[in-house]
């Protein structure tokens, strides 16, 4: 649920050249890079403190594993202040506490992650009556951290960036009482002074209690919902995701002014989670998500 609600925020953030990290799902990380060398105004801006605010609209599944889709808005805020990068993407926040050296170089990333998980917390947003009858789950609070490494100047120019990272967050609210591991790889490249492209891939590994909370169908709930009983799933790799994001500046360059962003992801549910009736019968192992938005950097 977090990943779906936050793609808009991730789309706004990941395609922008502001140093911030968002270990979310899909597009998980917002990467940093200045504009190309033929953009002197953008180059003059690189290294200064910046804040980007964005708002978008996503078309996404009703719940993780659903085959019904809906529209949902999503906010985003990312920035760098005093060398410390931060991001607030919908219901997820993170910070990179190690300042980036800037320019073609290696970048060590380390910091905290916090997320609010709304998975199946509102029956009104779920179209499938069988899943609605399974009842709601409380909203969970997940806290953790991430570590990663990035290299600026790798393929297309001295300003593109390749990053790899891994995050871990754990439910501290007593809802699913389990942890989530997420490795992520991101590639970002400015195409011109006004446009940029980001590509990404990630996966999620969950513990057994996560599967029990969100994907089990006990005997009592089976009779109510009409879905078959499912209580044998265990923790492990839950899904993998690939996607792309793009941005185009409307009133300046990539480092200031208004810009449009758009992106999409393909996610595949796998293993015991994919075998749950919520996915196999009521939903789909294949998950698509698209988002468009607008952002402003100052």
């Amino acid at each position: 649920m977090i990943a779906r609600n936050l793609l808009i925020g991730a789309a706004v953030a990941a395609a922008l050249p502001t140093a911030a990290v968002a270990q979310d799902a899909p597009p998980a990380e917002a990467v940093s890079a200045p504009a190309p060398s033929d953009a002197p105004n953008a180059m003059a801006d690189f290294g200064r403190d910046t804040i980007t605010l964005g708002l978008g609209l996503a078309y996404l599944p009703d719940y993780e594993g659903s085959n019904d889709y809906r529209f949902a808005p999503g906010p985003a805020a990312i920035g760098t202040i005093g060398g410390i990068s931060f991001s607030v993407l919908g219901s997820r926040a993170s910070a990179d506490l190690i300042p980036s050296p800037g320019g073609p170089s290696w970048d060590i990333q380390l910091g905290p992650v916090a997320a609010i998980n709304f998975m199946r917390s509102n029956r009104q947003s779920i179209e499938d009556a069988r899943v609605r009858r399974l009842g709601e789950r409380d909203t969970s609070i997940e806290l953790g951290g991430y570590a990663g490494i990035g290299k600026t100047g790798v393929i297309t120019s001295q300003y593109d960036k390749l990053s790899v990272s891994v995050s871990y967050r754990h439910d501290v609210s007593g809802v699913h009482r389990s942890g989530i591991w997420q490795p992520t790889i991101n590639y970002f490249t400015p195409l011109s002074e006004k446009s940029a492209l980001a590509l990404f891939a990630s996966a999620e590994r969950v513990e057994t209690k996560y599967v029990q909370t969100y994907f089990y169908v006990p005997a009592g709930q089976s009779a109510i919902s009409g879905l078959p009983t499912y209580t044998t799933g265990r923790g492990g790799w839950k899904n993998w995701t690939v996607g792309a994001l793009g941005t185009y500046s409307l009133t300046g360059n990539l480092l200031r002014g208004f810009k449009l962003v758009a992106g999409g992801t393909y996610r595949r549910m796998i293993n015991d989670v994919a075998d749950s009736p919520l996915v196999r019968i009521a939903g789909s192992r294949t998950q698509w998500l698209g988002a468009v938005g607008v952002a402003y950097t100052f």
Side-chain angles (χ1 to χ4, degrees):
M1 184 67 174
I2 293 176
R4 300 196 311 275
N5 284 346
L6 298 184
L7 178 69
I8 304 171
V12 171
L16 300 178
T18 303
V21 175
Q23 297 299 322
D24 212 41
E29 180 181 71
V31 293
S32 73
S37 56
D38 61 351
N41 291 335
M43 287 296 291
D45 285 342
F46 181 66
R48 69 183 178 90
D49 290 350
T50 65
I51 296 177
T52 299
L53 303 177
L55 182 66
L57 184 68
Y59 186 63
L60 45 81
D62 286 354
Y63 62 88
E64 192 175 17
S66 174
N67 61 357
D68 295 312
Y69 288 74
R70 60 189 173 88
F71 289 98
I78 64 174
T80 302
I81 299 178
I84 303 301
S85 302
F86 68 90
S87 65
V88 180
L89 307 179
S91 58
R92 183 184 183 117
S94 63
D96 184 358
L97 302 182
I98 301 180
S100 172
S105 61
W106 291 94
D107 174 27
I108 303 299
Q109 305 159 359
L110 184 68
V113 173
I116 304 174
N117 191 338
F118 295 103
M119 174 72 165
R120 291 178 53 199
S121 62
N122 182 5
R123 283 182 294 183
Q124 301 305 314
S125 65
I126 298 176
E127 182 176 340
D128 194 291
R130 295 166 296 180
V131 179
R132 286 202 309 269
R133 288 194 290 266
L134 292 175
E136 296 179 346
R137 302 295 181 264
D138 291 336
T139 300
S140 69
I141 307 297
E142 300 166 355
L143 302 179
Y146 75 93
I149 187 170
K151 179 65 170 67
T152 303
V154 289
I155 301 176
T156 61
S157 71
Q158 60 179 320
Y159 305 119
D160 67 340
K161 186 170 184 177
L162 179 67
S163 300
V164 294
S165 62
V166 61
S167 69
Y168 176 80
R169 60 185 190 270
H170 195 279
D171 171 38
V172 297
S173 56
V175 178
H176 61 80
R177 298 170 294 168
S178 58
I180 304 167
W181 289 94
Q182 183 175 11
T184 303
I185 182 170
N186 299 273
Y187 176 70
F188 170 89
T189 181
L191 304 176
S192 70
E193 180 181 354
K194 289 182 173 291
S195 62
L197 175 69
L199 306 173
F200 52 87
S202 68
E204 287 185 311
R205 185 178 181 87
V206 299
E207 298 172 0
T208 297
K209 289 183 179 179
Y210 187 97
V211 183
Q212 292 174 343
T213 301
Y214 297 115
F215 295 98
Y216 270 20
V217 182
Q221 291 186 345
S222 174
I224 295 173
S225 67
L227 292 172
T229 300
Y230 183 73
T231 58
T232 60
R234 296 293 180 264
W237 291 107
K238 176 171 65 73
N239 60 59
W240 56 264
T241 302
V242 294
L245 302 160
T247 184
Y248 183 81
S249 175
L250 298 174
T251 60
N253 55 54
L254 290 173
L255 292 175
R256 60 172 69 241
F258 283 101
K259 50 189 66 72
L260 293 176
V261 293
T265 68
Y266 171 82
R267 168 172 289 185
R268 184 71 176 178
M269 311 299 291
I270 58 176
N271 296 329
D272 285 0
V273 166
D275 290 336
S276 167
L278 280 80
V279 179
R280 179 173 53 88
I281 297 175
S284 172
R285 293 179 172 90
T286 297
Q287 306 277 281
W288 295 94
L289 196 154
V292 295
V294 63
Y296 182 80
T297 300
F298 57 90

